[in-house]
mmCIF file with all atom_site columns, all heavy atoms in Angstrom:
data_model
loop_
_atom_site.group_PDB
_atom_site.id
_atom_site.type_symbol
_atom_site.label_atom_id
_atom_site.label_alt_id
_atom_site.label_comp_id
_atom_site.label_asym_id
_atom_site.label_entity_id
_atom_site.label_seq_id
_atom_site.pdbx_PDB_ins_code
_atom_site.Cartn_x
_atom_site.Cartn_y
_atom_site.Cartn_z
_atom_site.occupancy
_atom_site.B_iso_or_equiv
_atom_site.pdbx_formal_charge
_atom_site.auth_seq_id
_atom_site.auth_comp_id
_atom_site.auth_asym_id
_atom_site.auth_atom_id
_atom_site.pdbx_PDB_model_num
ATOM 1   N N   . GLY A 1 86  ? -5.886  1.839  -16.819 1.00 0.00 ? 228 GLY A N   1
ATOM 2   C CA  . GLY A 1 86  ? -7.101  2.644  -16.718 1.00 0.00 ? 228 GLY A CA  1
ATOM 3   C C   . GLY A 1 86  ? -7.608  2.730  -15.293 1.00 0.00 ? 228 GLY A C   1
ATOM 4   O O   . GLY A 1 86  ? -7.982  3.818  -14.811 1.00 0.00 ? 228 GLY A O   1
ATOM 5   N N   . GLU A 1 87  ? -7.603  1.613  -14.593 1.00 0.00 ? 229 GLU A N   1
ATOM 6   C CA  . GLU A 1 87  ? -8.060  1.586  -13.215 1.00 0.00 ? 229 GLU A CA  1
ATOM 7   C C   . GLU A 1 87  ? -7.130  2.417  -12.312 1.00 0.00 ? 229 GLU A C   1
ATOM 8   O O   . GLU A 1 87  ? -7.598  3.119  -11.411 1.00 0.00 ? 229 GLU A O   1
ATOM 9   C CB  . GLU A 1 87  ? -8.117  0.141  -12.696 1.00 0.00 ? 229 GLU A CB  1
ATOM 10  C CG  . GLU A 1 87  ? -9.227  -0.694 -13.308 1.00 0.00 ? 229 GLU A CG  1
ATOM 11  C CD  . GLU A 1 87  ? -8.791  -1.418 -14.578 1.00 0.00 ? 229 GLU A CD  1
ATOM 12  O OE1 . GLU A 1 87  ? -7.910  -0.889 -15.295 1.00 0.00 ? 229 GLU A OE1 1
ATOM 13  O OE2 . GLU A 1 87  ? -9.332  -2.506 -14.854 1.00 0.00 ? 229 GLU A OE2 1
ATOM 14  N N   . ILE A 1 88  ? -5.826  2.342  -12.595 1.00 0.00 ? 230 ILE A N   1
ATOM 15  C CA  . ILE A 1 88  ? -4.861  3.110  -11.797 1.00 0.00 ? 230 ILE A CA  1
ATOM 16  C C   . ILE A 1 88  ? -5.058  4.605  -12.006 1.00 0.00 ? 230 ILE A C   1
ATOM 17  O O   . ILE A 1 88  ? -5.013  5.392  -11.050 1.00 0.00 ? 230 ILE A O   1
ATOM 18  C CB  . ILE A 1 88  ? -3.420  2.701  -12.140 1.00 0.00 ? 230 ILE A CB  1
ATOM 19  C CG1 . ILE A 1 88  ? -3.170  1.231  -11.786 1.00 0.00 ? 230 ILE A CG1 1
ATOM 20  C CG2 . ILE A 1 88  ? -2.425  3.595  -11.413 1.00 0.00 ? 230 ILE A CG2 1
ATOM 21  C CD1 . ILE A 1 88  ? -3.324  0.910  -10.326 1.00 0.00 ? 230 ILE A CD1 1
ATOM 22  N N   . ASN A 1 89  ? -5.311  5.014  -13.250 1.00 0.00 ? 231 ASN A N   1
ATOM 23  C CA  . ASN A 1 89  ? -5.530  6.437  -13.518 1.00 0.00 ? 231 ASN A CA  1
ATOM 24  C C   . ASN A 1 89  ? -6.775  6.950  -12.800 1.00 0.00 ? 231 ASN A C   1
ATOM 25  O O   . ASN A 1 89  ? -6.786  8.054  -12.253 1.00 0.00 ? 231 ASN A O   1
ATOM 26  C CB  . ASN A 1 89  ? -5.655  6.674  -15.028 1.00 0.00 ? 231 ASN A CB  1
ATOM 27  C CG  . ASN A 1 89  ? -4.322  6.526  -15.743 1.00 0.00 ? 231 ASN A CG  1
ATOM 28  O OD1 . ASN A 1 89  ? -3.259  6.717  -15.141 1.00 0.00 ? 231 ASN A OD1 1
ATOM 29  N ND2 . ASN A 1 89  ? -4.361  6.178  -17.022 1.00 0.00 ? 231 ASN A ND2 1
ATOM 30  N N   . GLU A 1 90  ? -7.828  6.121  -12.787 1.00 0.00 ? 232 GLU A N   1
ATOM 31  C CA  . GLU A 1 90  ? -9.050  6.515  -12.076 1.00 0.00 ? 232 GLU A CA  1
ATOM 32  C C   . GLU A 1 90  ? -8.805  6.561  -10.574 1.00 0.00 ? 232 GLU A C   1
ATOM 33  O O   . GLU A 1 90  ? -9.305  7.448  -9.877  1.00 0.00 ? 232 GLU A O   1
ATOM 34  C CB  . GLU A 1 90  ? -10.176 5.537  -12.417 1.00 0.00 ? 232 GLU A CB  1
ATOM 35  C CG  . GLU A 1 90  ? -11.533 5.967  -11.882 1.00 0.00 ? 232 GLU A CG  1
ATOM 36  C CD  . GLU A 1 90  ? -12.674 5.081  -12.391 1.00 0.00 ? 232 GLU A CD  1
ATOM 37  O OE1 . GLU A 1 90  ? -12.476 4.393  -13.424 1.00 0.00 ? 232 GLU A OE1 1
ATOM 38  O OE2 . GLU A 1 90  ? -13.737 5.070  -11.740 1.00 0.00 ? 232 GLU A OE2 1
ATOM 39  N N   . LEU A 1 91  ? -8.032  5.606  -10.078 1.00 0.00 ? 233 LEU A N   1
ATOM 40  C CA  . LEU A 1 91  ? -7.694  5.584  -8.653  1.00 0.00 ? 233 LEU A CA  1
ATOM 41  C C   . LEU A 1 91  ? -6.878  6.818  -8.290  1.00 0.00 ? 233 LEU A C   1
ATOM 42  O O   . LEU A 1 91  ? -7.092  7.427  -7.234  1.00 0.00 ? 233 LEU A O   1
ATOM 43  C CB  . LEU A 1 91  ? -6.916  4.304  -8.329  1.00 0.00 ? 233 LEU A CB  1
ATOM 44  C CG  . LEU A 1 91  ? -6.430  4.131  -6.883  1.00 0.00 ? 233 LEU A CG  1
ATOM 45  C CD1 . LEU A 1 91  ? -7.604  4.057  -5.918  1.00 0.00 ? 233 LEU A CD1 1
ATOM 46  C CD2 . LEU A 1 91  ? -5.558  2.882  -6.754  1.00 0.00 ? 233 LEU A CD2 1
ATOM 47  N N   . ASN A 1 92  ? -5.936  7.197  -9.154  1.00 0.00 ? 234 ASN A N   1
ATOM 48  C CA  . ASN A 1 92  ? -5.102  8.369  -8.885  1.00 0.00 ? 234 ASN A CA  1
ATOM 49  C C   . ASN A 1 92  ? -5.932  9.642  -8.753  1.00 0.00 ? 234 ASN A C   1
ATOM 50  O O   . ASN A 1 92  ? -5.609  10.526 -7.947  1.00 0.00 ? 234 ASN A O   1
ATOM 51  C CB  . ASN A 1 92  ? -4.050  8.542  -9.985  1.00 0.00 ? 234 ASN A CB  1
ATOM 52  C CG  . ASN A 1 92  ? -2.808  7.687  -9.733  1.00 0.00 ? 234 ASN A CG  1
ATOM 53  O OD1 . ASN A 1 92  ? -2.554  7.275  -8.605  1.00 0.00 ? 234 ASN A OD1 1
ATOM 54  N ND2 . ASN A 1 92  ? -2.052  7.435  -10.788 1.00 0.00 ? 234 ASN A ND2 1
ATOM 55  N N   . ALA A 1 93  ? -6.987  9.742  -9.560  1.00 0.00 ? 235 ALA A N   1
ATOM 56  C CA  . ALA A 1 93  ? -7.852  10.925 -9.483  1.00 0.00 ? 235 ALA A CA  1
ATOM 57  C C   . ALA A 1 93  ? -8.500  11.016 -8.095  1.00 0.00 ? 235 ALA A C   1
ATOM 58  O O   . ALA A 1 93  ? -8.602  12.106 -7.505  1.00 0.00 ? 235 ALA A O   1
ATOM 59  C CB  . ALA A 1 93  ? -8.919  10.864 -10.572 1.00 0.00 ? 235 ALA A CB  1
ATOM 60  N N   . LYS A 1 94  ? -8.931  9.892  -7.562  1.00 0.00 ? 236 LYS A N   1
ATOM 61  C CA  . LYS A 1 94  ? -9.541  9.874  -6.233  1.00 0.00 ? 236 LYS A CA  1
ATOM 62  C C   . LYS A 1 94  ? -8.497  10.138 -5.146  1.00 0.00 ? 236 LYS A C   1
ATOM 63  O O   . LYS A 1 94  ? -8.783  10.828 -4.159  1.00 0.00 ? 236 LYS A O   1
ATOM 64  C CB  . LYS A 1 94  ? -10.209 8.515  -5.988  1.00 0.00 ? 236 LYS A CB  1
ATOM 65  C CG  . LYS A 1 94  ? -11.323 8.183  -6.994  1.00 0.00 ? 236 LYS A CG  1
ATOM 66  C CD  . LYS A 1 94  ? -12.492 9.138  -6.863  1.00 0.00 ? 236 LYS A CD  1
ATOM 67  C CE  . LYS A 1 94  ? -13.640 8.725  -7.786  1.00 0.00 ? 236 LYS A CE  1
ATOM 68  N NZ  . LYS A 1 94  ? -14.782 9.660  -7.707  1.00 0.00 ? 236 LYS A NZ  1
ATOM 69  N N   . LEU A 1 95  ? -7.288  9.585  -5.333  1.00 0.00 ? 237 LEU A N   1
ATOM 70  C CA  . LEU A 1 95  ? -6.224  9.808  -4.360  1.00 0.00 ? 237 LEU A CA  1
ATOM 71  C C   . LEU A 1 95  ? -5.830  11.278 -4.309  1.00 0.00 ? 237 LEU A C   1
ATOM 72  O O   . LEU A 1 95  ? -5.625  11.844 -3.232  1.00 0.00 ? 237 LEU A O   1
ATOM 73  C CB  . LEU A 1 95  ? -4.998  8.945  -4.704  1.00 0.00 ? 237 LEU A CB  1
ATOM 74  C CG  . LEU A 1 95  ? -5.146  7.432  -4.514  1.00 0.00 ? 237 LEU A CG  1
ATOM 75  C CD1 . LEU A 1 95  ? -3.951  6.697  -5.112  1.00 0.00 ? 237 LEU A CD1 1
ATOM 76  C CD2 . LEU A 1 95  ? -5.290  7.081  -3.034  1.00 0.00 ? 237 LEU A CD2 1
ATOM 77  N N   . SER A 1 96  ? -5.736  11.877 -5.474  1.00 0.00 ? 238 SER A N   1
ATOM 78  C CA  . SER A 1 96  ? -5.378  13.297 -5.547  1.00 0.00 ? 238 SER A CA  1
ATOM 79  C C   . SER A 1 96  ? -6.436  14.161 -4.870  1.00 0.00 ? 238 SER A C   1
ATOM 80  O O   . SER A 1 96  ? -6.114  15.101 -4.124  1.00 0.00 ? 238 SER A O   1
ATOM 81  C CB  . SER A 1 96  ? -5.190  13.715 -7.005  1.00 0.00 ? 238 SER A CB  1
ATOM 82  O OG  . SER A 1 96  ? -4.847  15.074 -7.105  1.00 0.00 ? 238 SER A OG  1
ATOM 83  N N   . ALA A 1 97  ? -7.699  13.838 -5.116  1.00 0.00 ? 239 ALA A N   1
ATOM 84  C CA  . ALA A 1 97  ? -8.786  14.607 -4.504  1.00 0.00 ? 239 ALA A CA  1
ATOM 85  C C   . ALA A 1 97  ? -8.789  14.468 -2.986  1.00 0.00 ? 239 ALA A C   1
ATOM 86  O O   . ALA A 1 97  ? -9.195  15.391 -2.264  1.00 0.00 ? 239 ALA A O   1
ATOM 87  C CB  . ALA A 1 97  ? -10.120 14.139 -5.076  1.00 0.00 ? 239 ALA A CB  1
ATOM 88  N N   . ALA A 1 98  ? -8.321  13.319 -2.508  1.00 0.00 ? 240 ALA A N   1
ATOM 89  C CA  . ALA A 1 98  ? -8.280  13.084 -1.056  1.00 0.00 ? 240 ALA A CA  1
ATOM 90  C C   . ALA A 1 98  ? -6.988  13.588 -0.428  1.00 0.00 ? 240 ALA A C   1
ATOM 91  O O   . ALA A 1 98  ? -6.776  13.420 0.778   1.00 0.00 ? 240 ALA A O   1
ATOM 92  C CB  . ALA A 1 98  ? -8.444  11.590 -0.773  1.00 0.00 ? 240 ALA A CB  1
ATOM 93  N N   . GLY A 1 99  ? -6.111  14.195 -1.254  1.00 0.00 ? 241 GLY A N   1
ATOM 94  C CA  . GLY A 1 99  ? -4.842  14.699 -0.739  1.00 0.00 ? 241 GLY A CA  1
ATOM 95  C C   . GLY A 1 99  ? -3.860  13.599 -0.401  1.00 0.00 ? 241 GLY A C   1
ATOM 96  O O   . GLY A 1 99  ? -2.977  13.803 0.439   1.00 0.00 ? 241 GLY A O   1
ATOM 97  N N   . MET A 1 100 ? -3.987  12.442 -1.043  1.00 0.00 ? 242 MET A N   1
ATOM 98  C CA  . MET A 1 100 ? -3.113  11.303 -0.771  1.00 0.00 ? 242 MET A CA  1
ATOM 99  C C   . MET A 1 100 ? -2.102  11.135 -1.896  1.00 0.00 ? 242 MET A C   1
ATOM 100 O O   . MET A 1 100 ? -2.280  11.654 -3.002  1.00 0.00 ? 242 MET A O   1
ATOM 101 C CB  . MET A 1 100 ? -3.952  10.022 -0.603  1.00 0.00 ? 242 MET A CB  1
ATOM 102 C CG  . MET A 1 100 ? -4.951  10.106 0.542   1.00 0.00 ? 242 MET A CG  1
ATOM 103 S SD  . MET A 1 100 ? -6.105  8.682  0.558   1.00 0.00 ? 242 MET A SD  1
ATOM 104 C CE  . MET A 1 100 ? -4.970  7.336  0.823   1.00 0.00 ? 242 MET A CE  1
ATOM 105 N N   . GLU A 1 101 ? -1.028  10.415 -1.619  1.00 0.00 ? 243 GLU A N   1
ATOM 106 C CA  . GLU A 1 101 ? 0.001   10.161 -2.618  1.00 0.00 ? 243 GLU A CA  1
ATOM 107 C C   . GLU A 1 101 ? -0.562  9.324  -3.763  1.00 0.00 ? 243 GLU A C   1
ATOM 108 O O   . GLU A 1 101 ? -1.281  8.351  -3.526  1.00 0.00 ? 243 GLU A O   1
ATOM 109 C CB  . GLU A 1 101 ? 1.188   9.432  -1.985  1.00 0.00 ? 243 GLU A CB  1
ATOM 110 C CG  . GLU A 1 101 ? 2.335   9.177  -2.949  1.00 0.00 ? 243 GLU A CG  1
ATOM 111 C CD  . GLU A 1 101 ? 3.490   8.427  -2.307  1.00 0.00 ? 243 GLU A CD  1
ATOM 112 O OE1 . GLU A 1 101 ? 3.381   8.088  -1.097  1.00 0.00 ? 243 GLU A OE1 1
ATOM 113 O OE2 . GLU A 1 101 ? 4.497   8.173  -2.995  1.00 0.00 ? 243 GLU A OE2 1
ATOM 114 N N   . THR A 1 102 ? -0.240  9.689  -4.998  1.00 0.00 ? 244 THR A N   1
ATOM 115 C CA  . THR A 1 102 ? -0.730  8.963  -6.165  1.00 0.00 ? 244 THR A CA  1
ATOM 116 C C   . THR A 1 102 ? 0.299   7.945  -6.632  1.00 0.00 ? 244 THR A C   1
ATOM 117 O O   . THR A 1 102 ? 1.493   8.028  -6.303  1.00 0.00 ? 244 THR A O   1
ATOM 118 C CB  . THR A 1 102 ? -1.046  9.931  -7.315  1.00 0.00 ? 244 THR A CB  1
ATOM 119 O OG1 . THR A 1 102 ? 0.134   10.670 -7.652  1.00 0.00 ? 244 THR A OG1 1
ATOM 120 C CG2 . THR A 1 102 ? -2.156  10.894 -6.928  1.00 0.00 ? 244 THR A CG2 1
ATOM 121 N N   . VAL A 1 103 ? -0.168  6.977  -7.418  1.00 0.00 ? 245 VAL A N   1
ATOM 122 C CA  . VAL A 1 103 ? 0.690   5.920  -7.947  1.00 0.00 ? 245 VAL A CA  1
ATOM 123 C C   . VAL A 1 103 ? 1.440   6.476  -9.150  1.00 0.00 ? 245 VAL A C   1
ATOM 124 O O   . VAL A 1 103 ? 0.835   6.798  -10.179 1.00 0.00 ? 245 VAL A O   1
ATOM 125 C CB  . VAL A 1 103 ? -0.133  4.683  -8.349  1.00 0.00 ? 245 VAL A CB  1
ATOM 126 C CG1 . VAL A 1 103 ? 0.787   3.579  -8.858  1.00 0.00 ? 245 VAL A CG1 1
ATOM 127 C CG2 . VAL A 1 103 ? -0.968  4.198  -7.170  1.00 0.00 ? 245 VAL A CG2 1
ATOM 128 N N   . ASP A 1 104 ? 2.759   6.597  -9.042  1.00 0.00 ? 246 ASP A N   1
ATOM 129 C CA  . ASP A 1 104 ? 3.583   7.182  -10.097 1.00 0.00 ? 246 ASP A CA  1
ATOM 130 C C   . ASP A 1 104 ? 3.975   6.105  -11.112 1.00 0.00 ? 246 ASP A C   1
ATOM 131 O O   . ASP A 1 104 ? 4.901   5.329  -10.882 1.00 0.00 ? 246 ASP A O   1
ATOM 132 C CB  . ASP A 1 104 ? 4.823   7.814  -9.484  1.00 0.00 ? 246 ASP A CB  1
ATOM 133 C CG  . ASP A 1 104 ? 5.708   8.475  -10.534 1.00 0.00 ? 246 ASP A CG  1
ATOM 134 O OD1 . ASP A 1 104 ? 5.227   8.664  -11.676 1.00 0.00 ? 246 ASP A OD1 1
ATOM 135 O OD2 . ASP A 1 104 ? 6.867   8.797  -10.210 1.00 0.00 ? 246 ASP A OD2 1
ATOM 136 N N   . LEU A 1 105 ? 3.247   6.076  -12.233 1.00 0.00 ? 247 LEU A N   1
ATOM 137 C CA  . LEU A 1 105 ? 3.530   5.086  -13.272 1.00 0.00 ? 247 LEU A CA  1
ATOM 138 C C   . LEU A 1 105 ? 4.628   5.542  -14.226 1.00 0.00 ? 247 LEU A C   1
ATOM 139 O O   . LEU A 1 105 ? 5.061   4.762  -15.083 1.00 0.00 ? 247 LEU A O   1
ATOM 140 C CB  . LEU A 1 105 ? 2.254   4.785  -14.068 1.00 0.00 ? 247 LEU A CB  1
ATOM 141 C CG  . LEU A 1 105 ? 1.108   4.118  -13.286 1.00 0.00 ? 247 LEU A CG  1
ATOM 142 C CD1 . LEU A 1 105 ? -0.102  3.927  -14.195 1.00 0.00 ? 247 LEU A CD1 1
ATOM 143 C CD2 . LEU A 1 105 ? 1.554   2.781  -12.716 1.00 0.00 ? 247 LEU A CD2 1
#
Side-chain angles (χ1 to χ4, degrees):
E229 289 90 330
I230 297 298
N231 288 334
E232 188 172 340
L233 178 63
N234 276 339
K236 300 295 185 182
L237 291 170
S238 180
M242 300 171 63
E243 182 181 1
T244 58
V245 182
D246 181 14
L247 295 178

